[in-house]
Amino acid sequence: MTDVGLHTSELLDTALRVDARARARGPITGREYDVAAYPVHARSAKGSRIRDESGREYLDFLLGYGPIILGHNDDRINNAVIRCLVDGGANCMAPLWPPEQVELCNLLCEVVPNAESAFLLKTGSDATSAAVRLARIHTGREVVLRSGYNGWHDWSAPHPVGIPKSVRSLTQEFSFDDLENLEKLLLDNAGRVAAVMTTPFQESRTTSAHLAAIRDAAHRHGALFILDEMRSGFRLALGGAQEYFGIDADMATFSKAMANGFAISALTGRADVLDGLARTKISSTFFASRPEMAAAITTMRLLRDTSALETIRTRGEQLMDGMRPIFSSRRDVVSVHGYGPMPALVFAPDPAARAAADRFVEACVARGVLVHPNHQWFVSESHTSKDIDHALEVFDAAAAAL
Ligand SMILES: Cc1ncc(COP(=O)(O)O)c(C=O)c1O
């Protein structure tokens, strides 16, 4: 019996009847949901480990798609949230704001380069959409050029279905590695581009010079440069990719690792751009919700004041260094990319390689290591050197499935 009162065997059946997300998403690997091949529901998580609904434990390299930076269910963060709820007296107090809002904005302005002011929201898509609205207000232009996944809202959704053509036509995607393609789009839309938004890197590593070239192209054409730091923020470095690559963005967007799993996001940047908030309405009931702010303040202070980020980088590099020789003989199918705190095992886009990815991932899952066939992986402070050695042994055995 689960905590929600369903027998484990009924959980997936019931989900496939009543949970629109389960009905829409489909399984991570394979053609049909198969909880033995890849678990669907989680029961609990602690540190580097997650337990599925049947009680099986996995060493987790997905970490909620990135938010878990210290480790699952971290007592330091839980206690900050509990203290906030018990001592703080209340959660939602609108139209008044919690003092934590000031404290967190101040902390963001201290640790994020070029953050003259900060705006707190709930999700990553909130933050990227707010950045686009503010860029349009600041420049008086409408077109957005973007690269990477920037969220699900109409202007950025990766799939065009359900989105009016008139809306879609205002956003164009550029190829991250292709500066000529970016320049052409800027010229084709001369005088109309409000912002160039990109994640700081995609699968492969990038350079400061490449990011500077994207920024300079945006500025040359009168557009703002926005870095989407949803995955890199507080992970690649405390100040994100702006600090790591020494690159200045007009605005930067954050969420994920900011609060070790609590739902909060932030937009930081030039005060004159963020002051555009006075001319529009970007507001939501739960933007001022207090426990998530307490979680974010505590997470960011721990990342600032302890060696957590150094531990994460060391463990991640140990993982990547160990993975390279395991996959070196199958470069036609798979290669190791990314940075230690967020490594990527990238499979070739052809159907045979995709099927190999599924087989590899299922072989890892069968051995108790949770990885993903087509998403970046993540490492947390709670992953020990022994965890990494164990994962490498599992990858070595699972590589036979390639
Ligand atoms: C780079 C990037 N930008 C934006 C988003 C959207 O964030 P959210 O899912 O919190 O709306 C994501 C989410 O995965 C992301 O990875």
Side-chain angles (χ1 to χ4, degrees), residues 43-378:
R43 174 184 290 185
S44 62
K46 187 77 189 165
S48 60
R49 300 297 202 279
I50 187 163
R51 253 178 218 282
D52 73 11
E53 192 32 58
S54 70
R56 258 204 89 187
E57 190 179 85
Y58 305 88
L59 178 57
D60 185 9
F61 286 102
L62 268 307
L63 300 173
Y65 288 128
I68 307 303
I69 183 126
L70 300 169
H72 284 290
N73 201 359
D74 187 289
D75 289 338
R76 297 165 295 182
I77 308 305
N78 291 349
N79 288 336
V81 170
I82 292 165
R83 255 196 324 275
C84 165
L85 290 172
V86 174
D87 304 341
N91 176 12
C92 292
M93 300 176 290
L96 308 191
W97 296 319
E100 285 86 349
Q101 184 168 310
V102 188
E103 205 176 331
L104 181 52
C105 288
N106 200 36
L107 192 51
L108 283 160
C109 289
E110 272 171 33
V111 305
V112 176
N114 310 300
E116 292 173 351
S117 96
F119 178 43
L120 303 178
L121 314 90
K122 281 255 78 70
T123 71
S125 301
D126 285 345
T128 54
S129 300
V132 163
R133 172 94 59 88
L134 288 170
R136 286 176 167 152
I137 290 172
H138 189 80
T139 59
R141 299 168 169 194
E142 291 191 337
V143 173
V144 174
L145 304 183
R146 63 165 206 90
S147 186
Y149 177 65
N150 305 122
W152 73 270
H153 289 241
D154 277 3
W155 69 273
S156 62
H159 305 298
V161 63
I163 300 165
K165 277 202 192 88
S166 54
V167 174
R168 273 192 273 146
S169 67
L170 293 176
T171 303
Q172 296 174 36
E173 215 170 331
F174 70 96
S175 160
F176 181 79
D177 293 319
D178 187 350
L179 291 172
E180 277 177 26
N181 168 246
L182 173 62
E183 189 66 31
K184 181 175 180 319
L185 289 175
L186 284 162
L187 284 171
D188 288 351
N189 295 282
R192 299 180 63 223
V193 180
V196 173
M197 177 186 285
T198 185
T199 53
F201 56 91
Q202 285 169 11
E203 286 163 349
S204 309
R205 287 179 173 235
T206 194
T207 62
S208 304
H210 185 69
L211 288 169
I214 296 176
R215 177 202 57 203
D216 293 348
H219 286 173
R220 232 181 4 261
H221 290 267
L224 298 185
F225 174 60
I226 306 171
L227 261 188
D228 179 347
E229 297 245 39
M230 230 55 79
R231 298 183 198 184
S232 50
F234 313 106
R235 184 172 271 287
L236 203 55
L238 182 62
Q242 290 192 89
E243 177 185 325
Y244 188 87
F245 292 107
I247 182 87
D248 302 347
D250 297 301
M251 282 184 279
T253 56
F254 299 90
S255 180
K256 296 209 188 249
M258 186 173 166
N260 202 49
F262 284 82
I264 187 165
S265 64
L267 167 60
T268 66
R270 282 169 45 184
D272 62 332
V273 178
L274 267 68
D275 283 349
L277 285 169
R279 298 170 56 198
T280 182
K281 181 169 170 76
I282 305 180
S283 163
S284 186
T285 306
F286 289 114
F287 278 1
S289 175
R290 193 176 202 180
E292 297 88 333
M293 293 180 190
I297 291 166
T298 309
T299 303
M300 287 171 56
R301 282 198 186 135
L302 284 166
L303 295 176
R304 182 191 62 189
D305 300 337
T306 72
S307 55
L309 280 173
E310 181 56 23
T311 302
I312 292 165
R313 193 184 57 75
T314 308
R315 299 277 185 271
E317 285 174 2
Q318 180 191 347
L319 186 70
M320 288 179 69
D321 289 346
M323 282 164 72
R324 283 191 197 96
I326 294 174
F327 301 106
S328 61
S329 63
R330 295 309 314 271
R331 285 213 185 88
D332 53 324
V333 177
V334 64
S335 45
V336 179
H337 291 275
Y339 295 86
M342 41 203 304
L345 189 63
V346 180
F347 288 85
D350 59 274
R354 304 264 34 118
D358 283 356
R359 286 197 304 276
F360 171 76
V361 163
E362 288 179 1
C364 291
V365 165
R367 292 167 173 82
V369 175
L370 194 69
V371 287
H372 201 288
N374 49 38
H375 196 286
Q376 240 153 8
W377 305 351
F378 299 93

